[in-house]
Amino acid sequence: MAVYKDGDKWRVVFRFTNWKGERRQTQKRGFATKREAQMWEREELLKQGSKLDMTFASFFEIYEEDKKKRVKENTWESKSHVIRTKILPYFGQRKIGEIEAKDIIAWQNELLEHQNDKGEKYSPTYLKTIHSQLSAIFNHAVRFYHLPFNPAQKAGTMGNEEHKEMLFWTEGEYLKFADAMRDKPVSYYAFEVLYWCGVRMGEMLALTPKDFDFDKCTLTINKSYQRLKGKDVITSPKTPKSNRTIKMPKFLCEEMQEYIGILYEIGDEERLFQITKSYLHHEMDRGAKAAGVQRIRVHDLRHSAISLLIEMGFSALAIAERVGHESIDITYRYAHLFPTKQTEMADKLDIERMKKERK
């Protein structure tokens, strides 16, 4: 490495050997003082040697390089936002090897006391998420870069995961809502797919004509739509289990043929619903008010679809295959909707006990 005067600024030329053993050179310009240039040079040397005398901010750059390509773009954006806004401002300039559990506790206390302009504190779920991101960085340093221990783990977590109440519409409530949506075809057909197929919002927004087989009345789910940094991004579905083929009821098959027919020369791989998640939230507000039904979240249509299938007597396994869940998740999250099963269990236990008493 070398530091040079570059006009009224300073420049660092950095030579290094990459993981393939190849010699490489890079440089960074624009340092106001020689000292700033030398500090950057020192951090780069520490990063190349993976020395834990580096700052937390420098280690985050290593963490980002190691992890970013291994997760979905939208997942990384969420993680990165939390780290850059809630963690780096506090720990960025601290040496990662010198951060102790007491420092983590002090940071937690600041977040626990934080209030926004409306006097609102961070939710317990958000606090837990922030701490989890910090702990993940330290875990990475422990596993791969010889940090002796994870101080965030030693300090203990903060907050807790709140399970939002699941809201449902009955089939009758949904039909009232759907009737109120008929004045806007794009809204009506989007909500029809969400409810009758139980798909996720991102899955529905990614649908193309190619995903429908009208001869077999099937719909293939193999991608998801996200809006990131002002760009439309198509990713793989949420989980491997989410890749699935759904059998559509005949009326929905006919409706989707009708909808595609009114779209002017749409390509096989063009998105059917050129709308946003925000648009759907606004339409939920409008439709619920017009239909005189309780306002629920767009995602609650998925809960409503699952509850209808449970009411119709389908098993957790069959429902899970349709909606792209693990069957254990359906059993656990919707257990309260299987009352007949609970009664059946109790009745069989009664019979079993009576058998024993007769012996």
Side-chain angles (χ1 to χ4, degrees):
M1 274 195 177
V3 177
Y4 302 97
K5 188 72 174 173
D6 188 17
D8 61 344
K9 302 288 184 180
W10 291 84
R11 172 169 60 102
V12 179
V13 176
F14 177 36
R15 299 176 181 87
F16 63 98
T17 302
N18 69 12
W19 64 278
K20 295 180 180 178
E22 301 166 338
R23 292 290 295 168
R24 290 287 184 264
Q25 176 176 306
T26 187
Q27 63 179 318
K28 188 174 176 65
R29 302 172 180 270
F31 294 101
T33 65
K34 183 177 182 179
R35 183 171 181 274
E36 288 179 11
Q38 290 172 330
M39 287 174 63
W40 184 86
E41 178 186 41
R42 179 174 179 276
E43 283 295 309
E44 286 301 307
L45 284 168
L46 291 171
K47 282 162 60 180
Q48 287 300 315
S50 297
K51 303 296 184 183
L52 292 176
D53 196 38
M54 75 181 83
T55 63
F56 185 92
S58 291
F59 185 78
F60 171 65
E61 292 179 19
I62 293 175
Y63 178 77
E64 183 175 36
E65 183 69 22
D66 289 349
K67 301 291 284 188
K68 187 174 181 178
K69 293 182 176 65
R70 298 172 184 268
V71 298
K72 291 182 182 179
E73 186 178 354
N74 57 311
T75 300
W76 179 255
E77 284 301 318
S78 297
K79 287 169 67 72
S80 179
H81 176 75
V82 169
I83 294 166
R84 294 182 186 282
T85 60
K86 303 298 184 295
I87 298 174
L88 287 181
Y90 196 97
F91 294 112
Q93 299 311 307
R94 299 284 303 275
K95 291 182 179 179
I96 189 170
E98 296 179 358
I99 298 173
E100 301 179 31
K102 64 181 178 64
D103 302 317
I104 307 297
I105 292 171
W107 166 76
Q108 289 176 339
N109 287 338
E110 283 199 17
L111 291 172
L112 287 164
E113 292 300 319
H114 178 270
Q115 294 184 3
N116 63 17
D117 295 338
K118 298 178 181 178
E120 300 168 335
K121 293 189 174 185
Y122 293 132
S123 72
T125 300
Y126 190 52
L127 289 170
K128 184 177 177 64
T129 297
I130 298 171
H131 184 272
S132 295
Q133 296 303 334
L134 177 64
S135 191
I137 294 172
F138 281 120
N139 276 336
H140 195 72
V142 170
R143 289 176 187 145
F144 305 109
Y145 295 94
H146 312 295
L147 186 71
F149 66 94
N150 178 347
Q153 189 176 52
K154 191 173 181 180
T157 190
M158 61 177 171
N160 55 68
E161 189 172 355
E162 297 175 301
H163 293 285
K164 292 182 178 178
E165 180 187 2
M166 286 188 202
L167 300 175
F168 304 90
W169 273 342
T170 64
E171 183 182 0
E173 288 173 321
Y174 172 72
L175 290 174
K176 286 182 181 178
F177 168 82
D179 193 52
M181 288 287 99
R182 289 181 181 276
D183 61 330
K184 291 187 179 179
V186 65
S187 301
Y188 173 75
Y189 292 112
F191 286 121
E192 284 284 272
V193 173
L194 286 170
Y195 182 73
W196 297 110
C197 293
V199 298
R200 299 176 178 93
M201 201 177 347
E203 294 170 346
M204 182 274 293
L205 290 172
L207 290 176
T208 67
K210 189 177 180 180
D211 297 322
F212 292 84
D213 185 329
F214 293 118
D215 292 330
K216 296 179 180 177
C217 266
T218 59
L219 168 60
T220 298
I221 302 295
N222 56 19
K223 54 191 171 295
S224 184
Y225 165 88
Q226 302 286 337
R227 183 79 176 166
L228 296 175
K229 296 181 177 178
K231 297 186 299 181
D232 292 338
V233 178
I234 301 297
T235 68
S236 57
K238 187 175 181 180
T239 66
K241 188 83 172 178
S242 300
N243 285 283
R244 62 201 189 276
T245 298
I246 298 169
K247 188 79 173 179
M248 294 184 293
K250 288 183 179 179
F251 73 83
L252 183 62
C253 191
E254 292 170 0
E255 285 186 342
M256 291 312 298
Q257 281 182 293
E258 178 183 306
Y259 175 60
I260 292 173
I262 66 175
L263 299 176
Y264 182 69
E265 294 185 353
I266 187 170
D268 280 349
E269 298 190 16
E270 287 185 57
R271 286 175 53 228
L272 285 172
F273 299 103
Q274 298 284 333
I275 53 179
T276 63
K277 292 182 178 181
S278 177
Y279 171 87
L280 288 169
H281 291 308
H282 286 302
E283 286 295 272
M284 282 292 282
D285 288 336
R286 182 178 74 88
K289 184 176 180 180
V293 296
Q294 176 191 15
R295 167 64 161 92
I296 62 174
R297 296 164 297 194
V298 177
H299 188 70
D300 288 322
L301 285 177
R302 182 169 162 86
H303 300 319
S304 301
I306 292 171
S307 69
L308 175 62
L309 294 173
I310 292 171
E311 185 180 335
M312 293 171 71
F314 293 102
S315 70
L317 179 60
I319 296 170
E321 288 178 352
R322 184 174 181 82
V323 301
H325 258 311
E326 294 292 341
S327 59
I328 189 67
D329 293 333
I330 294 290
T331 304
Y332 176 73
R333 297 189 69 195
Y334 298 88
H336 60 294
L337 296 179
F338 287 93
T340 56
K341 293 295 180 186
Q342 292 288 340
T343 303
E344 185 181 343
M345 288 178 196
D347 290 344
K348 287 188 175 181
L349 287 170
D350 273 332
I351 294 169
E352 189 66 23
R353 177 60 183 270
M354 288 167 63
K355 285 181 183 176
K356 298 295 182 184
E357 288 179 350
R358 290 193 189 110
K359 288 182 179 180

